[in-house]
Protein backbone atom coordinates (compact mmCIF):
# COMPACT_ATOMS: atom_id res chain seq x y z
CA UNK A 1 0.00 0.00 0.00
CA UNK A 2 2.88 2.36 0.77
CA UNK A 3 4.28 2.03 -2.76
CA UNK A 4 0.86 2.70 -4.28
CA UNK A 5 0.53 5.81 -2.12
CA UNK A 6 3.97 7.09 -3.17
CA UNK A 7 3.15 6.45 -6.82
CA UNK A 8 -0.18 8.28 -6.41
CA UNK A 9 1.64 11.25 -4.89
CA UNK A 10 4.18 11.23 -7.75
CA UNK A 11 1.46 11.17 -10.37
CA UNK A 12 -0.46 13.91 -8.61
CA UNK A 13 2.39 16.29 -9.41
CA UNK A 14 2.16 15.71 -13.16
CA UNK A 15 1.27 18.98 -14.83
CA UNK A 16 2.05 21.06 -11.75
CA UNK A 17 4.48 23.97 -12.21
CA UNK A 18 5.34 23.94 -8.50
CA UNK A 19 6.10 20.24 -8.18
CA UNK A 20 8.54 19.18 -5.49
CA UNK A 21 11.02 16.36 -5.83
CA UNK A 22 9.25 13.03 -5.39
CA UNK A 23 10.88 9.73 -4.53
CA UNK A 24 9.86 6.15 -5.20
CA UNK A 25 11.93 3.83 -3.05
CA UNK A 26 13.65 6.78 -1.35
CA UNK A 27 12.57 9.39 1.18
CA UNK A 28 15.32 11.79 0.14
CA UNK A 29 15.00 12.37 -3.59
CA UNK A 30 17.56 14.66 -5.21
CA UNK A 31 16.39 18.27 -5.18
CA UNK A 32 17.27 18.64 -8.86
CA UNK A 33 15.04 15.72 -9.87
CA UNK A 34 11.28 15.94 -10.29
CA UNK A 35 11.15 12.19 -9.69
CA UNK A 36 13.81 9.84 -8.34
CA UNK A 37 13.41 6.06 -8.15
CA UNK A 38 15.63 3.85 -6.05
CA UNK A 39 15.86 0.05 -5.85
CA UNK A 40 18.43 -2.71 -5.54
CA UNK A 41 16.15 -5.42 -6.90
CA UNK A 42 14.06 -3.81 -9.66
CA UNK A 43 14.70 -1.58 -12.65
CA UNK A 44 13.03 1.23 -14.55
CA UNK A 45 10.95 -0.13 -17.43
CA UNK A 46 10.33 2.33 -20.28
CA UNK A 47 7.65 1.70 -22.93
CA UNK A 48 8.60 -1.26 -25.15
CA UNK A 49 7.73 -1.21 -28.84
CA UNK A 50 8.89 -2.30 -32.28
CA UNK A 51 10.69 -0.03 -34.73
CA UNK A 52 7.49 0.33 -36.74
CA UNK A 53 5.55 1.37 -33.63
CA UNK A 54 8.32 3.84 -32.68
CA UNK A 55 8.25 5.37 -36.15
CA UNK A 56 4.48 5.77 -35.90
CA UNK A 57 4.76 8.10 -32.90
CA UNK A 58 3.39 11.44 -34.06
CA UNK A 59 5.70 14.42 -33.41
CA UNK A 60 7.89 12.83 -30.71
CA UNK A 61 9.10 15.28 -28.09
CA UNK A 62 12.83 15.85 -27.61
CA UNK A 63 14.04 13.59 -24.82
CA UNK A 64 11.34 10.96 -25.32
CA UNK A 65 12.65 7.54 -24.21
CA UNK A 66 11.53 4.12 -25.44
CA UNK A 67 12.93 0.60 -25.67
CA UNK A 68 12.95 -0.68 -29.27
CA UNK A 69 12.51 -4.45 -29.14
CA UNK A 70 13.68 -5.27 -32.66
CA UNK A 71 16.33 -2.59 -33.20
CA UNK A 72 19.56 -4.56 -33.26
CA UNK A 73 19.32 -6.93 -30.34
CA UNK A 74 16.99 -4.49 -28.57
CA UNK A 75 18.04 -1.10 -27.15
CA UNK A 76 16.95 2.00 -25.26
CA UNK A 77 16.52 4.97 -27.59
CA UNK A 78 16.06 8.71 -27.06
CA UNK A 79 14.56 11.22 -29.49
CA UNK A 80 17.13 14.01 -30.00
CA UNK A 81 14.67 16.48 -31.44
CA UNK A 82 15.83 15.54 -34.94
CA UNK A 83 16.11 11.75 -34.95
CA UNK A 84 16.24 8.70 -32.69
CA UNK A 85 19.58 7.99 -30.99
CA UNK A 86 20.87 5.24 -28.73
CA UNK A 87 21.95 5.87 -25.14
CA UNK A 88 25.49 6.94 -26.11
CA UNK A 89 24.29 9.33 -28.79
CA UNK A 90 25.06 7.08 -31.75
CA UNK A 91 22.71 6.15 -34.58
CA UNK A 92 20.06 3.61 -33.64
CA UNK A 93 20.65 -0.02 -34.52
CA UNK A 94 19.04 -1.33 -37.71
CA UNK A 95 16.11 -3.69 -37.84
CA UNK A 96 17.77 -7.07 -37.93
CA UNK A 97 17.14 -9.27 -40.94
CA UNK A 98 18.96 -12.20 -42.52
CA UNK A 99 21.92 -10.91 -44.51
CA UNK A 100 22.14 -7.53 -42.75
CA UNK A 101 25.61 -6.41 -41.65
CA UNK A 102 25.69 -6.52 -37.86
CA UNK A 103 27.88 -7.57 -34.96
CA UNK A 104 31.08 -8.03 -36.92
CA UNK A 105 29.58 -10.04 -39.76
CA UNK A 106 26.19 -10.73 -41.31
CA UNK A 107 23.01 -11.96 -39.66
CA UNK A 108 22.86 -15.67 -40.49
CA UNK A 109 19.80 -16.67 -38.49
CA UNK A 110 17.28 -15.15 -36.07
CA UNK A 111 15.91 -17.48 -33.40
CA UNK A 112 12.25 -18.40 -33.78
CA UNK A 113 9.69 -19.65 -31.26
CA UNK A 114 10.57 -23.25 -30.42
CA UNK A 115 14.30 -22.81 -31.04
CA UNK A 116 16.70 -23.47 -28.15
CA UNK A 117 17.54 -20.15 -26.55
CA UNK A 118 14.53 -18.28 -27.96
CA UNK A 119 13.18 -15.59 -25.62
CA UNK A 120 9.85 -14.01 -26.48
CA UNK A 121 10.13 -10.28 -27.09
CA UNK A 122 13.90 -10.42 -27.64
CA UNK A 123 15.95 -10.76 -30.81
CA UNK A 124 18.79 -13.28 -30.76
CA UNK A 125 20.49 -15.46 -33.32
CA UNK A 126 23.69 -16.09 -35.25
CA UNK A 127 26.19 -13.79 -36.94
CA UNK A 128 28.33 -15.36 -39.69
CA UNK A 129 31.75 -14.08 -40.67
CA UNK A 130 31.55 -12.45 -44.11
CA UNK A 131 34.17 -14.78 -45.62
CA UNK A 132 35.72 -18.19 -45.00
CA UNK A 133 38.41 -18.50 -42.36
CA UNK A 134 40.00 -21.42 -44.21
CA UNK A 135 39.60 -23.25 -47.51
CA UNK A 136 41.23 -26.41 -46.22
CA UNK A 137 41.74 -27.05 -42.51
CA UNK A 138 41.66 -30.36 -40.63
CA UNK A 139 39.17 -30.93 -37.84
CA UNK A 140 42.02 -32.41 -35.84
CA UNK A 141 42.92 -35.21 -33.43
CA UNK A 142 41.62 -38.09 -35.55
CA UNK A 143 41.12 -41.15 -33.38
CA UNK A 144 40.53 -39.09 -30.24
CA UNK A 145 37.06 -38.65 -28.81
CA UNK A 146 36.53 -35.09 -27.50
CA UNK A 147 34.18 -35.18 -24.49
CA UNK A 148 31.43 -32.56 -24.75
CA UNK A 149 31.86 -31.85 -28.46
CA UNK A 150 28.86 -33.87 -29.63
CA UNK A 151 26.24 -31.09 -29.44
CA UNK A 152 24.31 -30.65 -32.69
CA UNK A 153 21.50 -28.23 -31.74
CA UNK A 154 21.34 -24.46 -32.07
CA UNK A 155 23.33 -22.92 -29.25
CA UNK A 156 25.78 -25.81 -28.79
CA UNK A 157 28.54 -24.79 -31.19
CA UNK A 158 30.28 -22.44 -28.79
CA UNK A 159 30.65 -25.10 -26.09
CA UNK A 160 31.67 -27.67 -28.71
CA UNK A 161 34.43 -25.33 -29.86
CA UNK A 162 35.70 -24.72 -26.34
CA UNK A 163 35.78 -28.47 -25.66
CA UNK A 164 37.62 -29.16 -28.92
CA UNK A 165 40.26 -26.51 -28.21
CA UNK A 166 40.73 -27.83 -24.68
CA UNK A 167 40.86 -31.45 -25.84
CA UNK A 168 42.97 -31.12 -29.00
CA UNK A 169 46.18 -29.07 -28.93
CA UNK A 170 46.95 -29.47 -32.64
CA UNK A 171 47.57 -26.02 -34.20
CA UNK A 172 45.59 -24.90 -37.23
CA UNK A 173 42.51 -27.05 -36.65
CA UNK A 174 39.07 -25.70 -37.61
CA UNK A 175 37.84 -25.05 -34.09
CA UNK A 176 41.03 -23.26 -33.04
CA UNK A 177 40.92 -21.03 -36.13
CA UNK A 178 37.46 -19.84 -35.05
CA UNK A 179 38.30 -19.74 -31.34
CA UNK A 180 41.33 -17.47 -31.94
CA UNK A 181 39.56 -15.25 -34.47
CA UNK A 182 39.20 -11.52 -33.79
CA UNK A 183 36.98 -9.96 -36.42
CA UNK A 184 34.91 -6.79 -36.56
CA UNK A 185 35.89 -5.97 -32.99
CA UNK A 186 34.59 -9.32 -31.65
CA UNK A 187 36.57 -12.25 -30.25
CA UNK A 188 33.76 -14.68 -29.36
CA UNK A 189 33.64 -16.54 -32.68
CA UNK A 190 33.26 -20.31 -32.82
CA UNK A 191 32.85 -23.28 -35.16
CA UNK A 192 29.11 -23.84 -35.72
CA UNK A 193 27.31 -26.97 -34.60
CA UNK A 194 25.58 -29.21 -37.15
CA UNK A 195 22.23 -27.39 -36.85
CA UNK A 196 23.86 -23.95 -36.80
CA UNK A 197 25.81 -24.83 -39.94
CA UNK A 198 22.58 -25.93 -41.61
CA UNK A 199 20.99 -22.52 -40.87
CA UNK A 200 24.02 -20.93 -42.50
CA UNK A 201 23.51 -23.11 -45.57
CA UNK A 202 19.79 -22.27 -45.78
CA UNK A 203 20.61 -18.56 -45.69
CA UNK A 204 23.92 -18.77 -47.57
CA UNK A 205 22.61 -16.69 -50.48
CA UNK A 206 21.89 -13.75 -48.21
CA UNK A 207 25.12 -14.15 -46.25
CA UNK A 208 27.35 -14.64 -49.28
CA UNK A 209 30.91 -15.76 -49.90
CA UNK A 210 30.45 -19.51 -49.50
CA UNK A 211 32.05 -22.20 -51.62
CA UNK A 212 29.93 -25.04 -52.99
CA UNK A 213 32.17 -27.53 -51.18
CA UNK A 214 32.20 -29.03 -47.68
CA UNK A 215 32.20 -27.09 -44.40
CA UNK A 216 33.13 -28.39 -40.98
CA UNK A 217 30.73 -28.35 -38.08
CA UNK A 218 31.91 -28.64 -34.49
CA UNK A 219 29.64 -31.67 -33.89
CA UNK A 220 31.69 -34.81 -33.38
CA UNK A 221 30.14 -38.21 -34.07
CA UNK A 222 33.02 -40.30 -32.72
CA UNK A 223 36.77 -40.49 -32.44
CA UNK A 224 37.23 -40.48 -36.20
CA UNK A 225 34.27 -38.58 -37.68
CA UNK A 226 32.40 -35.27 -37.63
CA UNK A 227 29.30 -33.81 -39.26
CA UNK A 228 30.03 -31.77 -42.39
CA UNK A 229 27.69 -30.05 -44.83
CA UNK A 230 28.06 -29.57 -48.55
CA UNK A 231 26.98 -26.07 -49.66
CA UNK A 232 25.81 -26.95 -53.17
CA UNK A 233 22.80 -29.19 -52.56
CA UNK A 234 22.93 -28.96 -48.76
CA UNK A 235 23.71 -32.61 -48.09
CA UNK A 236 25.38 -33.39 -44.78
CA UNK A 237 27.19 -36.52 -43.69
CA UNK A 238 29.88 -37.82 -41.35
CA UNK A 239 33.38 -37.10 -42.64
CA UNK A 240 36.81 -38.15 -41.42
CA UNK A 241 38.56 -35.78 -39.02
CA UNK A 242 41.71 -36.29 -41.05
CA UNK A 243 40.25 -34.60 -44.14
CA UNK A 244 40.55 -30.89 -44.93
CA UNK A 245 37.38 -28.82 -45.34
CA UNK A 246 36.22 -25.21 -45.39
CA UNK A 247 35.72 -23.21 -42.21
CA UNK A 248 33.26 -20.37 -41.58
CA UNK A 249 33.06 -18.92 -38.06
CA UNK A 250 29.90 -17.71 -36.30
CA UNK A 251 29.06 -15.88 -33.12
CA UNK A 252 25.85 -15.56 -31.16
CA UNK A 253 24.02 -12.30 -30.45
Amino acid sequence: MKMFFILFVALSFVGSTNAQAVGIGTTTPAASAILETNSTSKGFLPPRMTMAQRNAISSPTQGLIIFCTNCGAGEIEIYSGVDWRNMIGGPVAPLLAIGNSYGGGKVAYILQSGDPGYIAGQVHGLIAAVSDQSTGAPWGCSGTNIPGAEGIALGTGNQNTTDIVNGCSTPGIAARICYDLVLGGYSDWYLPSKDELNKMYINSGAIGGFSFLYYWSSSETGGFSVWVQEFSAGDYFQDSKANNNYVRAVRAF
Side-chain angles (χ1 to χ4, degrees), residues 143-170:
T144 301
N145 184 66
I146 307 296
E150 68 279 355
I152 64 173
L154 292 171
T156 61
N158 193 25
Q159 186 60 54
N160 286 349
T161 301
T162 299
D163 291 333
I164 295 165
V165 169
N166 290 337
C168 181
S169 60
T170 304

Side-chain angles (χ1 to χ4, degrees), residues 21-127:
V22 175
I24 296 178
T26 177
T27 57
T28 57
S32 61
I34 190 67
L35 173 65
E36 178 181 343
T37 63
N38 182 53
S39 175
T40 58
S41 60
K42 296 182 180 181
F44 168 70
L45 188 61
R48 293 161 290 176
M49 63 188 70
T50 66
M51 179 186 290
Q53 291 169 330
R54 181 204 70 193
N55 292 342
I57 297 175
S58 177
S59 301
T61 300
Q62 185 180 35
L64 189 67
I65 299 175
I66 62 100
F67 183 87
C68 181
T69 58
N70 64 346
C71 298
E75 64 180 20
I76 290 180
E77 297 178 353
I78 303 173
Y79 191 70
S80 70
V82 176
D83 57 9
W84 289 96
R85 293 276 160 172
N86 61 31
M87 289 294 288
I88 60 173
V92 297
L95 174 65
L96 291 185
I98 303 299
N100 281 6
S101 295
Y102 182 72
K106 289 191 175 182
V107 178
Y109 183 67
I110 296 174
L111 295 181
Q112 305 297 308
S113 178
D115 286 338
Y118 173 80
I119 301 174
Q122 298 184 18
V123 183
H124 298 285
L126 298 174
I127 303 292

Side-chain angles (χ1 to χ4, degrees), residues 18 29 33 43 82 88 92 96 113 116-117 128 132 151 154 159 177 185-187 204-205 209 222 226 232 239 242:
N18 299 311
V82 176
I88 60 173
V92 297
L96 291 185
S113 178
D132 296 329
L154 292 171
Q159 186 60 54
I177 290 171
Y186 296 90
S187 59
S204 58
V226 180
S232 175
D239 196 18

Side-chain angles (χ1 to χ4, degrees), residues 14 19 71 93 108 121 197:
V14 175
C71 298
L197 184 63

